[in-house]
Amino acid sequence: MKLREDEPGSSLNTDKFSLGMFLVTIGIVYGDIGTSPMYVMKSIVEGNGGLTNVDSEFIIGSLSLVIWTITLLTTVKHVLIALRADNHGEGGIFALYSLVKDCGAWLIVPTMVGGCTMLADGVLTPAVTVTTAVEGLRSIELMNRFLGEGQTVVLIITITIVCALFLIQRNGTSAIGKLFGPVMLVWFTFLGVTGIWLALGDLSILRALNPIYAIKVLVSPGNKAGLMILGSVFLCTTGAEALYTDMGHVGRGNILRSWPFVKVCLILNYMGQCVWIIHNTSNTALAHAEDMNPFYLMLPEGLRPVSIILSALAAIIASQALISGSYTLVHEAASLDLMPHLNVRYPSDTKGQIYVPIINKILWVLCILVILYFRSGSRMENAYGLAITISMLMMTIMFTVYIGVKHHNKIGALLFALIFFFLEGMFFISSLGKFMIGGYVAVIISLAILYIMISWYRGTQIERLQINTLPMREYLDELKGLKEDETIPLCSNNLVYLVKDDDFEDIDRDILYSVLDKEPKRADAYWFISMNTTDQPYQREYEVETFGTDYVFRIALNLGFKVKQSVNVYLRQVVQDLLASGELPPQKKNHSIYGESDIGSFKFCMLRKRIPYEGDLSSMDNLLIHTKYYIRRLAGSPARWFGLDTANLIIEYVPLFLPKKAEEQRLTRVGGKKR
């Protein structure tokens, strides 16, 4: 049976083209990749020793690398191939996992690794983009004097902007979000116009369209970085994964239609920067300039303030997209039992917009620490990109399985794997070259998140292995006897337990023990509800088994992985349905501010596991289960996750039943007298 939708439901029909959807797509999807011109060529030139150490052949070869990286990794992989792997219109690593998880239990590994590196990107993107935008002020002489020597003033401005960005999250961004599309449209138009304006002055730059130059520069003696240049080149495609992840918000069709415009604007701007670099390689004054950035310096000084304002706005929009995406990733990971259930808020009516307070605080603190640690955009770029190369490699593994197993196209899967494992493997190796000069920060953040995921996932597995189930039907008479035993005070008209098993016929022993043995709980009706996360993002359905009684109800709520699991809300509808069908007898409630009712009182009972001192877990499993329970305490009560924070709630702790140690011995009585 379907549940009525009490919150935004299935995806809107977003694939129909309109100017409005075009603007929404521009504003939501391309923020991260759209800010890459601010630092890609800057990083390439710095990596080769500065402006006076590059020549036209090196710059044209580097530009060719950028153009073909965008073409192969973004256009071919993410636009032409990845967008076809939609999960009922949704994209992203967890949506993809839902499609391929039946192909092998091992696929949870690339899912966790890819998810944690994407979350690490959510920390690094605001730091690097906002800092680089603020550093653009140095391209204006007056502002450069105001900033003075060192980075103190730059850091103050950057941290102020970042703090404001995280502060507004709690109120939602739907109001300012309406400006994202128009602002990003202006931004990309600005990139394209300023780029073509310079590129037309030297049409020899068009040689970069030939991939031969990209290959030649890798072995050119003028390329002092060698293959390590790819670590800087890769920055041009960071954000490509957003094209797949955000498919559910804007639709495949709108990404297919808008990407050509975005790509052309990006490439034109890179061309303009490269023409300016070629014409200024002998400019010794610029060679010693602090934070020499061709993105700003290629413009006339009167136009630079406009560029800085637009770049700051684009950086904020890109950061906002990554922050919002991090909330969604954590929410979806929790639904798949990869992370703890956290308090989720819906700050606006905008579809899919959520706010996770604790994640906002963690991202905020980490972002500020990254800014203070690196202090400059150039140093942050060394950390930026390594996490995303790992993420892309994990996605390639999963796409390969999807193509080969789900579409039964083994040749296509092999071809896809060979091409993209080679390309992304090269970028990964080159990014490793930056490990010791900043890349380790991205790895540390990713590993910390991965440890949380592994602890939660393995801890959940251990709990499930320890579950001792009993046949439900054999205890129906016991429950009926308790229901009719008026010597025991009525606990509630309806007693509700949340269960983890999907099997209707069996019930966790701990639950029956709680009802019958541990302070027997008399009720008119006993409800045992399980939450099943389905592959369909916005599915809302339920199943019910009454066991031929009118007092025991086994309910399975089948909710999509993007749906808020509001047990309280959905149970209310299930009860009304069963009353209407006559399966649940009326429960007369005579005293209420709402008047008489056929639905009585409710009490929810949640069981929490505790680890006993004695057990047979391995050292590693013992560490992971303890970590899970520690994280659970920090995360707070799951009552909010299940919509029970305002309900009449009982929380009982039960031991995690572990095998007894073999060396355990019985006590021997000594001394004393027998009666």
Side-chain angles (χ1 to χ4, degrees):
M1 299 178 71
K2 288 187 176 293
L3 291 161
R4 290 189 298 271
E5 299 182 359
D6 295 285
E7 53 185 297
S10 58
S11 298
L12 300 174
N13 182 15
T14 53
D15 266 347
K16 187 176 180 180
F17 179 77
S18 67
L19 179 60
M21 281 309 302
F22 178 82
L23 288 175
V24 169
T25 305
I26 293 290
I28 290 178
V29 177
Y30 303 112
D32 196 2
I33 198 170
T35 55
S36 56
M38 292 162 51
Y39 42 77
V40 171
M41 294 312 302
K42 172 175 175 282
S43 179
I44 290 173
V45 172
E46 286 180 351
N48 208 60
L51 193 62
T52 56
N53 289 300
V54 300
D55 56 25
S56 61
E57 292 304 309
F58 171 81
I59 292 300
I60 288 174
S62 300
L63 175 60
S64 186
L65 281 173
V66 169
I67 291 172
W68 285 100
T69 297
I70 294 174
T71 299
L72 293 174
L73 292 189
T74 308
T75 303
V76 176
K77 180 185 176 183
H78 286 92
V79 176
L80 298 181
I81 298 176
L83 291 184
R84 297 179 181 275
D86 68 295
N87 186 349
H88 302 279
E90 293 292 327
I93 191 163
F94 294 120
L96 181 58
Y97 173 68
S98 295
L99 288 175
V100 301
K101 63 183 180 182
D102 294 335
C103 301
W106 63 273
L107 286 165
I108 192 64
V109 176
T111 301
M112 288 193 291
V113 174
C116 73
T117 51
M118 286 183 178
L119 286 169
D121 187 38
V123 174
L124 297 170
T125 294
V128 69
T129 54
V130 176
T131 302
T132 303
V134 174
E135 286 175 343
L137 292 170
R138 291 197 181 278
S139 64
I140 303 172
E141 183 60 31
L142 179 63
M143 293 306 300
N144 188 38
R145 289 199 299 268
F146 168 73
L147 295 176
E149 296 183 2
Q151 286 286 99
T152 303
V153 179
V154 170
L155 292 178
I156 292 172
I157 297 173
T158 301
I159 291 173
T160 300
I161 293 173
V162 169
C163 287
L165 181 61
F166 280 100
L167 275 172
I168 65 173
Q169 300 302 317
R170 68 185 65 187
N171 299 317
T173 56
S174 57
I176 62 172
K178 296 174 183 177
L179 300 175
F180 287 178
V183 169
M184 292 305 292
L185 179 62
V186 172
W187 168 252
F188 283 114
T189 303
F190 179 82
L191 292 180
V193 171
T194 54
I196 197 172
W197 172 61
L198 281 168
L200 287 174
D202 187 354
L203 293 180
S204 66
I205 200 68
L206 294 176
R207 288 183 295 164
L209 296 173
N210 186 344
I212 295 297
Y213 288 94
I215 298 171
K216 286 173 62 177
V217 77
L218 292 175
V219 295
S220 168
N223 173 19
K224 298 178 176 58
L227 287 177
M228 296 301 105
I229 191 178
L230 294 175
S232 296
V233 171
F234 182 76
L235 297 175
C236 73
T237 195
T238 55
E241 69 282 355
L243 277 69
Y244 177 57
T245 302
D246 291 329
M247 175 169 53
H249 292 101
V250 299
R252 178 195 296 124
N254 285 299
I255 295 175
L256 289 170
R257 297 182 191 101
S258 58
W259 170 242
F261 165 74
V262 171
K263 181 182 177 182
V264 168
C265 291
L266 290 173
I267 290 176
L268 286 175
N269 193 266
Y270 286 124
M271 285 183 170
Q273 289 187 53
C274 289
V275 167
W276 180 88
I277 292 170
I278 291 171
H279 291 173
N280 285 274
T281 52
S282 59
N283 191 329
T284 55
L286 287 173
H288 301 290
E290 187 177 359
D291 293 317
M292 195 287 299
N293 192 335
F295 175 76
Y296 298 108
L297 292 174
M298 74 174 184
L299 302 172
E301 190 156 348
L303 197 56
R304 289 174 194 168
V306 177
S307 175
I308 292 166
I309 292 171
L310 285 176
S311 63
L313 291 173
I316 290 170
I317 292 170
S319 301
Q320 173 61 45
L322 266 294
I323 293 168
S324 299
S326 297
Y327 301 152
T328 303
L329 278 171
V330 171
H331 184 53
E332 292 176 0
S335 297
L336 296 172
D337 271 332
L338 297 178
M339 294 196 90
H341 293 163
L342 301 172
N343 177 24
V344 177
R345 299 179 188 173
Y346 295 79
S348 72
D349 293 331
T350 303
K351 174 184 172 289
Q353 186 176 109
I354 63 174
Y355 169 63
V356 186
I358 190 171
I359 298 301
N360 189 67
K361 292 174 184 176
I362 292 172
L363 291 177
W364 189 351
V365 171
L366 290 177
C367 187
I368 297 299
L369 290 176
V370 166
I371 293 170
L372 292 174
Y373 179 72
F374 286 109
R375 297 184 65 82
S376 73
S378 298
R379 293 186 64 204
M380 290 178 203
E381 289 157 14
N382 295 324
Y384 197 48
L386 179 57
I388 297 303
T389 59
I390 298 172
S391 174
M392 285 191 175
L393 281 168
M394 297 304 103
M395 294 286 278
T396 297
I397 292 172
M398 297 171 74
F399 280 129
T400 300
V401 173
Y402 177 78
I403 296 169
V405 179
K406 289 294 183 179
H407 281 271
H408 310 288
N409 187 350
K410 293 183 179 179
I411 295 177
L414 179 62
L415 194 61
F416 177 86
L418 288 174
I419 293 173
F420 290 105
F421 273 131
F422 173 75
L423 291 173
E424 292 165 359
M426 293 287 288
F427 283 116
F428 173 66
I429 293 170
S430 64
S431 296
L432 281 179
K434 296 185 176 183
F435 179 83
M436 296 305 297
I437 55 175
Y440 60 89
V441 172
V443 173
I444 290 172
I445 295 172
S446 299
L447 287 177
I449 300 169
L450 181 60
Y451 179 65
I452 292 172
M453 286 188 175
I454 292 173
S455 299
W456 200 268
Y457 181 74
R458 179 55 184 160
T460 302
Q461 281 188 322
I462 293 170
E463 288 176 341
R464 288 174 178 168
L465 287 172
Q466 301 299 325
I467 290 176
N468 183 12
T469 59
L470 299 173
M472 186 76 229
R473 295 183 186 274
E474 292 185 11
Y475 291 87
L476 296 177
D477 290 340
E478 289 282 353
L479 292 171
K480 183 178 181 181
L482 176 59
K483 169 183 178 293
E484 296 174 349
D485 188 351
E486 296 186 359
T487 63
I488 298 176
L490 185 70
C491 177
S492 178
N493 295 116
N494 299 278
L495 185 61
V496 185
Y497 281 84
L498 299 184
V499 301
K500 294 183 178 180
D501 293 335
D502 293 331
D503 188 353
F504 278 20
E505 294 299 320
D506 292 328
I507 189 74
D508 190 340
R509 173 197 176 280
D510 290 339
I511 292 177
L512 283 180
Y513 182 85
S514 172
V515 176
L516 297 170
D517 295 87
K518 189 176 184 179
E519 297 180 5
K521 301 173 180 64
R522 185 165 71 90
D524 294 325
Y526 296 96
W527 304 81
F528 305 100
I529 302 178
S530 60
M531 312 289 292
N532 302 315
T533 302
T534 69
D535 295 346
Q536 299 183 36
Y538 296 100
Q539 182 179 358
R540 290 177 175 84
E541 296 180 353
Y542 74 90
E543 302 171 68
V544 61
E545 171 63 63
T546 66
F547 304 99
T549 74
D550 60 1
Y551 56 89
V552 175
F553 300 93
R554 179 65 171 84
I555 308 294
L557 294 178
N558 303 316
L559 304 177
F561 63 87
K562 282 184 174 287
V563 175
K564 185 178 180 181
Q565 300 190 6
S566 303
V567 177
N568 211 359
V569 174
Y570 297 130
L571 179 58
R572 190 180 308 126
Q573 184 206 322
V574 173
V575 170
Q576 291 171 347
D577 289 350
L578 295 179
L579 276 172
S581 67
E583 294 168 275
L584 175 67
Q587 302 168 345
K588 288 299 181 181
K589 186 176 182 180
N590 298 322
H591 307 289
S592 170
I593 60 173
Y594 302 107
E596 293 186 3
S597 172
D598 286 337
I599 302 176
S601 59
F602 280 82
K603 187 168 287 186
F604 294 82
C605 188
M606 298 185 68
L607 302 185
R608 306 291 294 275
K609 297 288 187 180
R610 275 183 176 162
I611 307 173
Y613 290 108
E614 298 293 333
D616 256 352
L617 285 178
S618 67
S619 298
M620 179 56 68
D621 280 347
N622 190 56
L623 174 63
L624 294 176
I625 193 72
H626 273 88
T627 301
K628 174 180 177 175
Y629 289 172
Y630 178 73
I631 294 169
R632 188 180 67 183
R633 287 196 299 271
L634 293 179
S637 171
R640 289 186 177 182
W641 169 266
F642 291 117
L644 303 177
D645 46 331
T646 58
N648 192 349
L649 184 64
I650 302 171
I651 296 180
E652 290 184 355
Y653 289 90
V654 295
L656 180 63
F657 289 102
L658 303 174
K660 294 181 179 179
K661 291 188 175 182
E663 67 269 22
E664 185 179 33
Q665 297 179 353
R666 291 180 57 84
L667 293 171
T668 301
R669 178 176 175 176
V670 296
K673 294 182 180 180
K674 294 184 179 180
R675 291 185 180 182

